[in-house]
């Protein structure tokens, strides 16, 4: 007799091709219920594809998905939500001009008449239970990125999701928002939610997960208890070779300026996305541009490549 617990999700020989590219090649692994499960790999490893199949965005070419031990064909995201599966994408699916509570219920109104008071009461209960502190009447366009992500998670909880997929959730967050997210995910797990964390950031894996599945070139390399790994061994499994530390780059003694940017301004409508930005790039130098997504990096690249105009 098999006494092992039934997994929340089991992938059995899932394959998905896009033309000649095998995004998923006979992918098989299990995700225990009420855990945070990491799915890691380099860009293009197939981790987002397998999760989009679970969420019903893609249909597999072959293989089966089991939910709580039962074979299930997931036809669409709407069907996935009905099955208790929700996904927070890297790029949020929110309407900027609507209030938080309106975004949360959008698509799940249920009738021509809305019980706003009852909805707000239910959302406040969810906020208290899972540690959110959102002003439900604020518009999305007024929120920081971290709070917008909380709205996306609140949408899933309002829809009774028990399996939450988070695709690179810290890519757009500053460090303080990352810590807040970690705490909220811990509370979700403690409330018997199953969290699937797609990431390539090792810190997140070791801080949050009980188990981690490693993918490479569309295949599963293996699923391991997180405590059995360290950063070096996990990195080696992800890239398929030993990680060699970079040698220290020698400083360039003679500095010649090859690019000068002075007081660069870019506007989109009434919003200023670059405000008097100045920097120099020297020959033989690597200049890093740091910041979370949405803080002007894309616009800077477009201006420097002459894709979009700028205003001084």
């Amino acid at each position: 007799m098999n006494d092992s617990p039934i997994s929340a999700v089991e992938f059995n020989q899932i394959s998905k091709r896009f033309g000649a590219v095998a995004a998923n090649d006979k992918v098989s692994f299990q995700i225990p219920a009420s855990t945070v499960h990491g799915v890691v790999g380099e860009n293009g490893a197939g981790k987002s594809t397998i999760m989009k199949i679970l969420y019903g965005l893609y249909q597999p070419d072959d293989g089966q998905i089991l939910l709580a031990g039962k074979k299930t064909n997931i036809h669409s995201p709407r069907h996935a939500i009905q099955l208790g599966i929700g996904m927070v994408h890297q790029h949020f699916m929110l309407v900027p001009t609507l209030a938080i509570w309106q975004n949360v219920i959008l698509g799940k109104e249920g009738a021509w008449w809305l019980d706003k008071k009852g909805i707000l009461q239910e959302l406040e209960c969810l906020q208290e239970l899972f540690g959110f502190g959102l002003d439900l009447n604020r518009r999305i366009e007024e929120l920081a990125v971290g709070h917008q992500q909380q709205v996306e998670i609140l949408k899933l909880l309002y829809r009774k999701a028990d399996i939450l997929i988070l695709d690179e959730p810290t890519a757009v967050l500053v460090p303080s928002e990352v810590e807040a997210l970690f705490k909220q995910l811990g509370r979700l797990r403690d409330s018997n939610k199953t969290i699937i964390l797609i990431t390539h950031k090792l810190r997140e894996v070791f801080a949050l997960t009980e188990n981690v599945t490693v993918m490479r070139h569309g295949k599963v390399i293996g699923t391991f208890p997180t405590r059995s790994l360290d950063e070096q061994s996990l990195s080696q499994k992800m890239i398929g070779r030993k990680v060699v530390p970079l040698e220290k780059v020698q400083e360039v003694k003679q500095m010649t300026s090859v690019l000068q940017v002075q007081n660069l301004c870019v506007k989109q409508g009434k919003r200023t996305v670059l405000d008097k930005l100045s920097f120099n790039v020297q020959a033989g130098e690597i200049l890093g541009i740091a910041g979370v997504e949405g803080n002007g990096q894309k616009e800077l690249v477009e201006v420097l490549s002459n894709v979009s105009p700028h205003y001084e």
Side-chain angles (χ1 to χ4, degrees):
M1 181 176 179
N2 186 4
D3 294 327
S4 60
I6 296 176
S7 299
V9 180
E10 181 178 350
F11 299 99
N12 185 11
Q13 299 287 296
I14 295 289
S15 293
K16 179 67 178 178
R17 301 186 69 88
F18 296 96
V21 177
N24 290 150
D25 186 4
K26 297 181 180 180
V27 169
S28 296
F29 65 96
Q30 299 180 14
I31 299 175
S34 305
T35 64
V36 180
H37 190 102
V39 180
V40 303
E42 294 184 287
N43 289 337
K47 52 190 186 296
S48 290
T49 300
I50 192 66
M51 290 303 135
K52 288 179 179 178
I53 290 173
L54 176 60
Y55 189 54
L57 284 166
Y58 296 154
Q59 296 302 306
D61 298 328
D62 198 9
Q64 297 173 328
I65 291 176
L66 287 76
L67 299 179
K70 182 179 179 180
K71 294 179 182 178
T72 307
N73 295 319
I74 304 172
H75 307 297
S76 66
R78 180 182 292 274
H79 187 209
I81 291 169
Q82 292 171 352
L83 295 170
I85 303 168
M87 186 169 184
V88 177
H89 303 270
Q90 289 189 54
H91 301 287
F92 303 144
M93 308 294 182
L94 300 172
V95 182
T97 55
L98 294 183
I100 291 175
W101 73 270
Q102 292 171 320
N103 270 274
V104 170
I105 70 166
L106 194 62
K108 197 179 181 298
E109 296 90 340
W112 64 271
W113 178 77
L114 294 177
D115 178 11
K116 181 179 177 180
K117 182 177 179 180
I119 291 170
L120 292 176
Q121 288 177 343
E122 182 177 355
L123 293 179
E124 289 295 359
C125 289
L126 287 172
Q127 289 212 91
E128 183 176 355
L129 180 61
F130 295 108
F132 299 118
L134 300 167
D135 179 352
L136 297 173
N137 288 301
R138 290 191 68 186
R139 293 194 303 272
I140 297 299
E141 61 190 1
E142 300 172 342
L143 301 179
V145 174
H147 288 156
Q148 292 184 31
Q149 187 178 73
Q150 290 184 17
V151 176
E152 288 282 19
I153 296 174
L154 190 60
K155 281 170 57 178
L156 304 186
L157 298 175
Y158 181 73
R159 288 159 172 75
K160 315 299 183 187
D162 291 317
I163 299 170
L164 283 70
I165 308 165
L166 280 74
D167 190 359
E168 301 286 0
T170 64
V172 296
L173 303 182
V174 298
S176 61
E177 292 171 333
V178 171
E179 295 302 324
L181 175 65
F182 283 8
K183 291 179 181 178
Q184 286 159 356
L185 294 183
R187 295 183 75 162
L188 289 167
R189 175 184 53 201
D190 294 343
S191 299
N192 296 320
K193 304 294 184 183
T194 302
I195 315 296
I196 307 173
L197 182 67
I198 311 172
T199 185
H200 59 267
K201 296 182 179 180
L202 303 189
R203 175 174 175 262
E204 298 170 15
V205 174
F206 290 103
L208 291 170
T209 68
E210 286 86 4
N211 301 285
V212 56
T213 295
V214 181
M215 298 188 67
R216 189 168 71 239
H217 304 313
K219 298 177 181 289
V220 170
I221 303 305
T223 298
F224 312 91
T226 307
R227 63 179 181 274
S228 70
L229 303 169
D230 56 26
E231 289 195 8
Q232 183 175 4
S233 62
L234 182 53
S235 298
Q236 188 168 339
K237 293 179 187 299
M238 289 170 61
I239 66 176
R241 62 183 184 276
K242 186 176 181 180
V243 180
V244 180
L246 293 175
E247 296 182 3
K248 184 178 180 181
V249 179
Q250 294 182 351
E251 295 183 2
V252 179
K253 295 182 180 180
Q254 186 174 358
M255 306 297 282
T256 303
S257 179
V258 294
L259 175 65
Q260 293 182 336
V261 175
Q262 294 182 346
N263 295 321
L264 179 63
C265 296
V266 172
K267 294 183 179 180
Q268 291 181 343
K270 296 182 179 180
R271 188 171 72 95
T272 300
V273 293
L274 294 176
D275 188 9
K276 297 181 180 179
L277 180 66
S278 299
F279 61 86
N280 290 329
V281 181
Q282 309 295 334
E285 176 186 41
I286 298 175
L287 177 67
I289 305 293
V292 298
E293 185 177 344
N295 280 274
Q297 302 96 313
K298 175 177 177 289
E299 290 78 11
L300 175 60
V301 171
E302 289 179 348
V303 169
L304 294 180
S305 59
N306 204 31
V307 172
S308 64
H310 68 277
Y311 307 89
E312 296 185 359

